[in-house]
Amino acid sequence: MVPLGWVGGVVGLILSSAISLYASTLIAKLHEYGGRRHIRYRDLAGFMYGQTAYSLVWASQYANLFLINTGYVILGGQALKAFYVLFRDDHQMKLPHFIAVAGLACVLFAIAIPHLSALRIWLGFSTFFSLVYICIVIALSLKDGLEAPPRDYSIPGTKNSKTWATIGAAANLVFAYNTGMLPEIQATVKEPVVNNMIKALNFQFTLGVIPMHAVTYIGYWAYGSSASSYLLNNVSGPIWLKGMANIAAFLQAIIALHIFASPTYEFLDTKYGVTGSALACKNLAFRIIVRGGYIAITAFLSALLPFLGDFMNLAGAISTFPLTFILPNHMYIVAKRKKLSFLKKSWHWLNIIFFSCIAVAAFVAALRFITVDSKTYHVFADL
């Protein structure tokens, strides 16, 4: 909202919801293409295009997941720092320290939860933590907004920087809605798979996005162009209440990271033939070394360049745009080429060309932001 303003922000959020629903529906309809179920995105790409496409989609997916996990480690560190500052604002502990603590917590959780199926009860906790954060942030933001003087809603920066910020924000909007893992999620849906997945998508992109829209609009209304990317840095209110919201955000970041890291864990477990009891010494040591190493690298890069918004822009540009908008439209043309009219084919090609241009522009913008922020802030910056 800050780089887009009221009109651009509201239109962008609603439009990205609608476009994401449309593109996701295209992929969902191809789940049983060719008379077989495709439980992984890369399997669908390989079936339709060949081994090269399989490898490219595989690389894009895991790059996207890595950048998502980087964002969650930074979020966990920011939440811990905000909690610490509530009680002791002595500047002894810096953001990189909190990112390291968040990384360690993620390692311990990854070791304790060997399989994605073991997350069942934790998904309930995840929902609870999300609701705690949302309710507290909305309540405190509303209070601050009603008590505050008129806010400044102007878009900050020069004309040139506003242009780049708008492009980056477009990638950020796409990243907020999509993961590039829809076929993997659809693989867990009961029959009829396609119809049930489309129902789930319709729910997700209508009622499901209301909390995110509410937090975004209310936060921007309350604080204007001074709104932080981590909204709890802006709110005022009882320390215990803000502390509860920060801890909820921290714990939610740990669980969410594990969800998005699970495909990487599963790939590594399969590649190295991990079988048998999760508590076996061999398997326990494997999780400690491999998963611990993966998160250690993630946490190190997160602390090195803790620019959360920049990483979201980069992830949206290099993987989310191609996986969510470009590839689904082309796949649909390939799968339905004999049934599509010239007008419908032209529509899908227009989407491919448009989103390809946006992806390139967003990629350049993300690199620019990272370069500028790297010059503005030193490595391991305390943001």
Side-chain angles (χ1 to χ4, degrees):
M1 293 292 289
V2 172
L4 295 175
W6 271 119
V7 176
V10 173
V11 172
L13 277 168
I14 295 174
L15 193 59
S16 58
S17 299
I19 295 171
S20 297
L21 171 60
Y22 172 73
S24 297
T25 301
L26 293 181
I27 283 291
K29 289 180 178 179
L30 298 177
H31 187 73
E32 296 176 331
Y33 172 69
R36 55 184 291 187
R37 290 191 67 181
H38 304 279
I39 63 173
R40 296 181 179 88
Y41 202 154
R42 58 186 182 272
D43 293 338
L44 176 60
F47 182 78
M48 297 184 73
Y49 302 115
Q51 184 60 39
T52 301
Y54 176 96
S55 300
L56 287 173
V57 170
W58 179 90
S60 296
Q61 282 187 298
Y62 283 99
N64 192 47
L65 291 174
F66 180 78
L67 290 169
I68 289 173
N69 292 332
T70 299
Y72 276 120
V73 173
I74 295 173
L75 174 61
Q78 288 180 327
L80 269 186
K81 180 186 175 184
F83 179 79
Y84 177 85
V85 169
L86 288 174
F87 301 97
R88 189 175 177 181
D89 192 7
D90 55 8
H91 302 289
Q92 293 299 310
M93 292 280 287
K94 309 293 185 183
L95 180 60
H97 300 134
F98 294 108
I99 287 176
V101 175
L104 177 61
C106 291
V107 170
L108 296 175
F109 193 77
I111 294 169
I113 308 296
H115 310 293
L116 190 59
S117 58
L119 262 179
R120 289 177 182 175
I121 188 172
W122 291 102
L123 294 177
F125 281 113
S126 175
T127 303
F128 172 73
F129 294 141
S130 296
L131 289 174
V132 168
Y133 173 85
I134 290 168
C135 291
I136 293 176
V137 165
I138 288 178
L140 295 181
S141 296
L142 281 172
K143 179 187 72 68
D144 289 346
L146 292 172
E147 296 174 353
R151 274 78 69 193
D152 178 17
Y153 297 110
S154 62
I155 300 173
T158 63
K159 185 177 181 180
N160 183 52
S161 65
K162 288 179 183 178
T163 301
W164 287 109
T166 300
I167 296 172
N172 209 330
L173 286 171
V174 173
F175 182 76
Y177 285 109
N178 302 282
T179 64
M181 302 292 291
L182 186 67
E184 286 81 355
I185 298 171
Q186 193 169 1
T188 65
V189 176
K190 66 180 182 179
E191 297 285 352
V193 177
V194 174
N195 289 338
N196 286 334
M197 191 64 201
I198 291 175
K199 289 178 183 178
L201 289 170
N202 288 331
F203 175 83
Q204 175 190 346
F205 287 105
T206 51
L207 295 178
V209 299
I210 289 176
M212 185 178 76
H213 281 243
V215 170
T216 304
Y217 300 148
I218 293 172
Y220 186 63
W221 166 77
Y223 309 107
S225 58
S226 64
S228 169
S229 59
Y230 184 61
L231 201 55
L232 283 173
N233 288 334
N234 289 103
V235 301
S236 60
I239 290 179
W240 68 270
L241 199 58
K242 293 195 292 183
M244 184 185 300
N246 281 305
I247 292 300
F250 170 67
L251 295 174
Q252 165 64 359
I254 295 173
I255 298 172
L257 183 145
H258 190 81
I259 293 171
F260 287 106
S262 289
T264 303
Y265 298 156
E266 184 241 351
F267 167 75
L268 293 170
D269 290 348
T270 302
K271 180 177 177 62
Y272 293 102
V274 176
T275 56
S277 173
L279 297 177
C281 291
K282 175 185 174 183
N283 293 339
L284 191 59
F286 180 85
R287 292 202 300 278
I288 292 172
I289 295 171
V290 175
R291 297 186 181 188
Y294 173 80
I295 296 177
I297 294 171
T298 304
F300 175 77
L301 291 176
S302 301
L304 185 70
L305 296 170
F307 315 126
L308 179 59
D310 297 347
F311 280 108
M312 291 173 69
N313 295 342
L314 185 63
I318 67 174
S319 54
T320 313
F321 264 115
L323 291 174
T324 305
F325 298 120
I326 300 171
L327 201 53
N329 277 282
H330 193 270
M331 283 181 165
Y332 202 75
I333 291 174
V334 172
K336 308 289 185 179
R337 56 182 174 270
K338 295 181 180 179
K339 299 180 180 180
L340 294 177
S341 65
F342 173 78
L343 187 61
K344 290 183 178 179
K345 285 183 181 179
S346 299
W347 163 251
H348 289 294
W349 275 113
L350 180 63
N351 283 330
I352 293 168
I353 295 170
F354 174 75
F355 287 114
S356 296
C357 293
I358 294 294
V360 171
F363 176 73
V364 175
L367 291 182
R368 180 183 180 276
F369 288 134
I370 291 174
T371 302
V372 170
D373 285 341
S374 297
K375 292 178 180 178
T376 306
Y377 306 102
H378 57 77
V379 294
F380 299 108
D382 183 32
L383 301 182

